Amino acid sequence: MKFGKIFKKQMVPEWVEAYVDYNGLKRILKQIRSHTQHSKLLTRVASTASHQAEALHRSFSGLSFHHRNSGGGGDIEDQVIKVDQQDDSDSRRNKLYKTKFLKKSDEFEECFFKKLDENLNKVNRFYREKVEEVLEEAGLLDKQMDALIALRVKVKKPDDASHLNLEKHPSDKVVVDDDTSSMRTPGSVNRDMVHGIDRTSIPEEEASHIVTDIVPVSHTDGEDGSGDKQDLHEILERVKMNDALESPMSTLKGFFGDSRNDEPISKKGLKKAEEQLRLVFSEFYQKLRRLKEYSFMNLLAFSKIMKKYEKIASRNASRNYMKTVDNSLIGSSDEVNRLLERVEVTFVKHFSSGNRREGMKCLRPKVKRERHRVTFFSGFFSGCSIALIVAVVFKIESRKLMEKDYGTAYMANIIPLYSLFGYIILHMLMYSANIYFWRLYRVNYTFIFGFKQGTELGYREVFLVSTGLSVLAFICFLLNLQFDMDWKMKVHNTLPEVIPLGLVTIVLFILLCPFNIIYRSSRVFFLRSLLHCICAPLYEVTLPDFFLADHLTSQVQAIRSLELFICYYGLGEYMQRQEKCHSHGVYNVFYFVVGVIPYWLRFLQCIRRLCEENESVHGYNALKYMLTIIAVIIRTAFELRKGRNWMILALVSSGVAICMNTFWDIVIDWGLLRRHSKNPYLRDKLLVPHKSVYFAAMVVDVILRVAWMQLVLEFNLKSLHKVAVSTIISCLEIVRRGMWSFFRLENEHLNNVGKYRAFKSVPHPFHYYDNDETDDKDD
């Protein structure tokens, strides 16, 4: 594989603009090659004409021409360039590099080195900013570790906690460089993690697992007193557990003004803090690894492009320029490597009981490998699904089921039951297609959704699950068709009627199965997000939560199918093989409620975000969902009661909701229709190279939104039953939601790229009081 493809593959997607523009430099080298070849051709023609003139001169004058080889042609071009260094006007800490030619050069070579200097300055500037960020974060992590250690001692030995000191051993020093060293004082920044301090252990059961000296005062009275001491009681007075309103109870306490956390720290609270700090360290380590890879890949890109320049221009400039690159910040800085070593040591000692292998497994999760059996079974189940579809069609046609008296009623009863699985399968197929295109266009969906590395599902796995479910559903449907003659002959056989219920039971069992089978981590992630949606607004709203809630709004018919299952089997309708659920008043009430629930949950999420972030856009979004709720209620009333007045109200409310939702899809969620962007009526940055795709997507979104009006207008489609029309429109809504998902995540990814946001922010478990806050608390 060529280096250009490897370089692109290894890039952090959100940092793409901060990397060396390798392809841009290659394009300039192509221009240099074309110019060099043209110059050589002109030189060759001139040389040929000169030789002919000399030969004619020798034939008449009898003189012999002796070619003289000029000496010194070996290394006369060794010093082709000179790289000057100057301070950046914006920041004195940054150095700017500018290349000057010492020998004659053409405009293309000057353009090449100008762009090369710009890339070197850009890379160094970005690398410095990120190194400063991680150094600052390392300082915060050190204080978090001090608080964790103090709380651990307090929980395990609460009576002795006030008599313990945090002490630095005299041999532990901050190694700044080879000549100087200094001690870490209480409250100072994280010098141990930056420069490699190792802390000794405390004489307790967990002594080998922590990285700070915590010893009783009586143990240090006989020492020389050279170590710095910090009273654990003082640390505990200045620290409290962070309460980010992540649980329903903490949200309710915050709502009623009781957000203080004055309760004593229990073992359960300490364990929660340890787990949270464990996640903080893991995310911090991934950031350091990415930063190290960023440095390595850019250095390799500079080396590769300079070798290409030497080969094309025949100038020995690579060694001189690469010496400058190696002496720059990105080539000479070692802070990231030191931090990596210190994080590894700290994590292994404190969070994995000194077991380095287990600790490194947590810090460096294995990259997920593609398995051939997934591809094989995906193809196998796909073929089976197609064969079963053909079998179902032939079964219906061979028995001429739709031409018989009971055929229409039979299909009207059975289709709503099995449509639930059809909606789920179609939704999973759309999600599989989205994953494929997200990967194709390098949308970092795993980071956006917050999937744990190595546990995320690829498009092959999702496709496998969807095709497997489709095979199971079609087999059950065929079994139902097999017993349709029993219904005709009025044979009392309830076995075919309970087949759909058995299928639902199997699906729910797989979804809720606690065993580590069938992608357990993904099932747990889905159930957790679903719980957050159901309990909105008691949980903090994250992107996976409101993304799932948006998808639930496109599955209203599927949720109503669940209600139909409860009525059909709970009220015994299956015994008469007739679906008369709408004759029950309770069912009709819940028919309203179920249609509103997904939009209501999304409305509550918007209200929660409005209260937390104080951004008006969430208020407008809540208004959009409230208009949709009104439209759903009126449309459902029209569906059940009919009448001209209800139809007019349904048309008006649905029209307003459609206009509002369509505008929000295209302008807010997708970020399109920007008049003054580089791409007219789109946006500045596009991942799909063909602009027509975006215009087509906008048109399709409008059409599929308007198709929703068919449920109100009820055009007379004689060839289709009402149930079939409702099913088709619901499927079109799922397709529209799948298309919306791709462009929604593309826009989110581009926002992350613009802010170089490549890592999730994990909240720290502890909060340190400032001096002013401490005084207020004492008062």
Side-chain angles (χ1 to χ4, degrees), residues 204-217:
E204 294 191 23
E205 181 180 358
E206 75 279 5
S208 60
H209 312 325
I210 54 180
V211 292
T212 305
D213 298 320
I214 304 179
V215 295
V217 176

Side-chain angles (χ1 to χ4, degrees), residues 32 107 111 119 219 267 271 289 311 343 357 444 522 530 532 571 633 652 671 680:
I32 295 176
E107 59 177 346
C111 179
N119 279 270
H219 290 182
K267 290 185 178 181
K271 184 177 180 180
R289 288 188 65 195
K311 184 178 179 180
V343 170
R357 176 176 295 181
N444 195 359
S522 297
L530 183 61
H532 290 181
L571 300 180
I633 292 175
V652 173

Side-chain angles (χ1 to χ4, degrees), residues 64 72 109 151 193 229 235 253 279 320 360 384 402 458 471 600-601 606 614 724 758:
S64 59
E109 291 184 88
L151 288 176
M193 298 182 65
K229 297 181 180 179
I235 295 178
K253 287 183 179 180
L279 292 176
N320 193 6
M360 297 311 295
C384 292
M402 301 305 296
V471 169
W600 177 252
L601 297 179
C606 294
N614 294 323

Side-chain angles (χ1 to χ4, degrees), residues 141-157 161 164-167 184 192 199-202 204 206-207 209-215 232 235-236 270 273-274 277 346 350-351 766 768:
L141 284 180
D142 184 60
K143 298 177 70 175
Q144 295 290 314
M145 289 299 302
D146 288 343
L148 179 65
I149 293 165
L151 288 176
R152 175 175 290 180
V153 174
K154 178 182 178 181
V155 170
K156 292 192 175 183
K157 292 189 176 183
L164 298 180
N165 288 345
L166 178 71
E167 182 187 9
R184 173 179 178 267
D192 58 326
R199 299 174 178 178
T200 58
S201 56
I202 66 171
E204 294 191 23
E206 75 279 5
H209 312 325
I210 54 180
V211 292
T212 305
D213 298 320
I214 304 179
V215 295
L232 291 184
I235 295 178
L236 296 176
L270 179 61
E274 289 177 349
L277 196 54
T346 303
H350 194 77
F351 298 104
F766 305 110
Y768 274 80

Side-chain angles (χ1 to χ4, degrees), residues 233-465:
H233 184 70
E234 180 184 350
I235 295 178
L236 296 176
E237 286 293 326
R238 297 176 55 242
V239 171
K240 73 170 184 177
M241 294 284 292
N242 267 335
D243 194 356
L245 304 182
E246 294 179 347
S247 64
M249 188 59 65
S250 60
T251 301
L252 292 175
K253 287 183 179 180
F255 179 78
F256 291 107
D258 185 17
S259 60
R260 296 174 299 174
N261 193 6
D262 297 332
E263 298 180 359
I265 303 297
S266 61
K267 290 185 178 181
K268 183 177 180 181
L270 179 61
K271 184 177 180 180
K272 181 180 178 181
E274 289 177 349
E275 289 297 326
Q276 192 169 356
L277 196 54
R278 184 189 183 99
L279 292 176
V280 174
F281 267 89
S282 180
E283 192 67 21
F284 182 62
Y285 187 79
Q286 298 305 320
K287 185 183 298 185
L288 294 175
R289 288 188 65 195
R290 290 294 189 182
L291 199 54
K292 183 179 179 179
E293 292 173 3
Y294 171 84
S295 172
F296 173 77
M297 293 305 299
N298 280 290
L299 290 174
L300 193 56
F302 279 117
S303 176
K304 292 287 185 181
I305 204 68
M306 287 306 302
K307 288 181 179 179
K308 287 182 177 292
Y309 170 78
E310 278 195 344
K311 184 178 179 180
I312 293 174
S314 300
R315 293 181 183 269
N316 298 326
S318 176
R319 181 179 298 178
N320 193 6
Y321 198 87
M322 287 308 301
K323 184 178 180 180
T324 302
V325 173
D326 292 337
N327 291 331
S328 65
L329 177 65
I330 195 170
S332 60
S333 176
D334 197 37
E335 283 86 352
V336 174
N337 288 329
R338 293 177 180 177
L339 277 173
L340 280 169
E341 294 175 0
R342 292 312 309 148
V343 170
E344 290 176 1
V345 172
T346 303
F347 192 88
V348 169
K349 285 186 177 181
H350 194 77
F351 298 104
S352 61
S353 303
N355 190 331
R356 180 171 178 81
R357 176 176 295 181
E358 293 297 324
M360 297 311 295
K361 280 184 180 180
C362 296
L363 291 176
R364 297 182 182 179
K366 293 182 179 180
V367 179
K368 189 175 182 179
R369 296 183 300 176
E370 300 290 345
R371 297 181 177 179
H372 296 294
R373 65 171 176 264
V374 173
T375 306
F376 171 77
F377 281 108
S378 296
F380 176 74
F381 288 145
S382 300
C384 292
S385 299
I386 296 173
L388 288 170
I389 291 174
V390 175
V392 168
V393 173
F394 273 101
K395 191 78 171 177
I396 295 175
E397 289 296 325
S398 63
R399 296 200 174 187
K400 297 181 179 180
L401 191 63
M402 301 305 296
E403 297 178 3
K404 298 178 181 179
D405 296 337
Y406 63 88
T408 303
Y410 174 78
M411 297 303 291
N413 284 334
I414 205 69
I415 290 296
L417 296 176
Y418 281 97
S419 63
L420 168 65
F421 308 103
Y423 298 145
I424 296 174
I425 292 169
L426 179 59
H427 215 128
M428 294 177 70
L429 289 175
M430 294 301 300
Y431 180 58
S432 175
N434 280 331
I435 294 176
Y436 174 80
F437 286 108
W438 287 332
R439 287 189 174 183
L440 180 64
Y441 296 109
R442 294 183 59 78
V443 175
N444 195 359
Y445 72 97
T446 56
F447 163 68
I448 295 175
F449 286 136
F451 294 141
K452 185 179 179 181
Q453 185 179 356
T455 62
E456 73 279 3
L457 294 183
Y459 66 93
R460 290 185 179 90
E461 289 82 3
V462 178
F463 186 74
L464 172 64
V465 175

Side-chain angles (χ1 to χ4, degrees), residues 649-664:
L649 290 175
L651 284 174
V652 173
S653 60
S654 298
V656 173
I658 287 173
C659 293
M660 186 72 173
N661 281 278
T662 304
F663 170 81
W664 201 273

Side-chain angles (χ1 to χ4, degrees), residues 64-84:
S64 59
F65 179 79
H66 301 281
H67 178 72
R68 295 183 179 180
N69 186 14
S70 58
D75 296 328
I76 60 174
E77 292 184 345
D78 283 344
Q79 297 296 326
V80 179
I81 60 173
K82 179 183 179 183
V83 184
D84 293 332

Side-chain angles (χ1 to χ4, degrees), residues 559-698:
I559 300 175
R560 281 176 171 172
S561 296
L562 288 175
E563 181 192 9
L564 178 62
F565 268 91
I566 297 174
C567 172
Y568 194 70
Y569 292 100
L571 300 180
E573 297 290 344
Y574 73 98
M575 298 293 295
Q576 289 78 27
R577 292 190 174 95
Q578 293 181 359
E579 190 270 294
K580 296 182 179 180
C581 291
H582 282 294
S583 62
H584 301 281
V586 177
Y587 177 84
N588 290 332
V589 172
F590 279 98
Y591 195 75
F592 276 92
V593 174
V594 168
V596 168
I597 284 177
Y599 301 99
W600 177 252
L601 297 179
R602 192 68 186 91
F603 171 79
L604 293 178
Q605 288 179 339
C606 294
I607 296 299
R608 166 84 185 228
R609 296 188 70 184
L610 177 64
C611 296
E612 288 184 342
E613 303 175 16
N614 294 323
E615 295 182 2
S616 59
V617 65
H618 300 306
Y620 294 124
N621 202 13
L623 175 62
K624 179 194 72 172
Y625 285 106
M626 181 54 66
L627 293 175
T628 307
I629 290 172
I630 295 173
V632 170
I633 292 175
I634 297 176
R635 193 194 70 186
T636 305
F638 168 71
E639 181 182 352
L640 297 177
R641 299 182 180 181
K642 304 300 181 181
R644 186 177 182 85
N645 293 334
W646 282 113
M647 188 182 82
I648 294 175
L649 290 175
L651 284 174
V652 173
S653 60
S654 298
V656 173
I658 287 173
C659 293
M660 186 72 173
N661 281 278
T662 304
F663 170 81
W664 201 273
D665 287 345
I666 297 174
V667 178
I668 306 300
D669 290 339
W670 295 356
L672 302 177
L673 290 181
R674 309 297 184 193
R675 294 182 57 185
H676 303 291
S677 66
K678 297 178 182 178
N679 304 297
Y681 296 100
L682 297 177
R683 61 171 111 85
D684 291 339
K685 298 177 182 178
L686 303 173
L687 294 182
V688 181
H690 305 289
K691 297 179 183 179
S692 59
V693 173
Y694 295 92
F695 291 106
M698 288 189 284

